Amino acid sequence: MTPSRAEKSLTIVIPALNEQDKIADTIDGVLPLARELLDDFEIFLIDDGSTDATGAIMNEFAASDRRITVHHNAERRGVGAGFEYALSRAKFDAITLIPGDHAFQNEGIARMFKAVGAADMVITYRDNQSDRSVNRSIQSHSLRFVLNCMFGFWLSDYHSMIVYPVKWLRQIAVSQGRRLRLSDLRVDLAAPTRPHLCPGPREPERGVEGVIARAAAAHLFGAHRDHRLAAPPRSHPGCRSRSGSG
């Protein structure tokens, strides 16, 4: 008997501040991919107090598709606040954030969407960082090495796109009694030892990412090191498993 395929449903958060020249390109890239590659989705467009036409452009997209919701902040509140707004209203089990400045190219976003449902958490990484300056490369590699050693797992990138499990994020917010900060989430949720690795495309700008679909388990670190959540891993067609994190 062939095992049933996991449903590919996703809440997508796209925040932007004064990005009238790029927000349409971002949404025009994400929307067709979501329609093609996901079983169901919703998009939260977060206008973070923009003073240009960003909010008006978002409204136009929302008028054309009922799955798009626009939230306008009267003043700048930051990416984390927008993400938290969407998280509190998300109707699906998985959520991701895609910057509204068209930072990630469509081929990489497509690879991430294809991996939705392969595991409870999908972590992407950029594979064209060799064009960075020497100083930036040293700083980036050093910080990544320190964080990986501190928290006992091996991520290739701490600043790329992630598909988070909604239920775990909500537990972190409630149990810690604090507002979510995106910079914390990459170390609050740690992957185990058997990821499913999907190599990413080579892209000319910083929007390059492979996809690591992490096996479905996580440890909550920091103040909640004793709380553990787990679920059986699921395979993802076209991805290979490997014992290390790569």
Side-chain angles (χ1 to χ4, degrees):
M1 181 177 178
T2 304
S4 59
R5 181 178 67 84
E7 182 175 332
K8 299 168 74 67
S9 300
L10 184 63
T11 295
I12 303 165
V13 188
I14 303 180
L17 171 62
N18 296 330
E19 293 290 355
Q20 65 179 15
D21 295 330
K22 296 181 179 180
I23 187 61
D25 288 339
T26 301
I27 302 170
D28 276 333
V30 170
L31 195 53
L33 292 174
R35 289 169 176 161
E36 176 188 355
L37 300 173
L38 300 174
D39 296 324
D40 203 357
F41 67 92
E42 61 182 344
I43 297 177
F44 285 90
L45 302 178
I46 309 296
D47 170 21
D48 195 21
S50 298
T51 57
D52 63 4
T54 297
I57 295 170
M58 290 178 169
N59 289 340
E60 291 176 8
F61 278 98
S64 68
D65 195 312
R66 59 178 178 78
R67 291 168 293 190
I68 299 177
T69 299
V70 181
H71 176 65
H72 300 279
N73 290 332
E75 58 185 20
R76 182 178 181 181
R77 299 189 59 202
V79 174
F83 186 82
E84 187 176 20
Y85 174 89
L87 176 64
S88 67
R89 292 159 177 80
K91 65 180 182 180
F92 298 120
D93 293 334
I95 187 171
T96 192
L97 184 145
I98 299 175
D101 60 355
H102 204 42
F104 294 95
Q105 293 192 4
N106 296 338
E107 188 179 356
I109 294 172
R111 286 182 179 271
M112 181 177 71
F113 284 175
K114 289 176 182 178
V116 170
D120 286 325
M121 190 171 181
V122 176
I123 300 175
T124 73
Y125 66 91
R126 296 160 293 177
D127 63 1
N128 69 337
Q129 300 185 61
S130 59
D131 58 352
R132 290 178 168 182
S133 67
V134 174
N135 265 351
R136 187 176 177 190
S137 293
I138 292 174
Q139 292 171 6
S140 178
H141 285 296
S142 299
L143 177 60
R144 186 170 65 248
F145 177 78
V146 169
L147 289 174
N148 284 334
C149 289
M150 286 176 63
F151 294 101
F153 51 97
W154 207 256
L155 300 183
S156 299
D157 196 339
Y158 281 82
H159 297 95
S160 194
M161 297 180 295
I162 294 178
V163 177
Y164 297 101
V166 166
K167 61 183 178 181
W168 295 348
L169 293 193
R170 286 175 175 167
Q171 274 192 272
I172 291 173
V174 171
S175 61
Q176 295 190 5
R178 60 170 171 80
R179 299 183 68 85
L180 287 176
R181 292 186 300 175
L182 294 183
S183 59
D184 295 341
L185 297 182
R186 288 163 176 79
V187 294
D188 279 341
L189 293 176
T193 57
R194 285 185 56 78
H196 300 289
L197 177 62
C198 302
R202 301 295 298 182
E203 296 177 352
E205 297 178 359
R206 71 178 208 181
V208 178
E209 57 280 329
V211 178
I212 299 178
R214 294 286 170 180
H219 298 171
L220 301 184
F221 283 86
H224 300 276
R225 187 176 294 274
D226 294 333
H227 296 283
R228 295 192 177 190
L229 304 173
R234 301 189 290 272
S235 63
H236 174 53
C239 303
R240 64 183 186 275
S241 296
R242 84 189 202 188
S243 57
S245 300

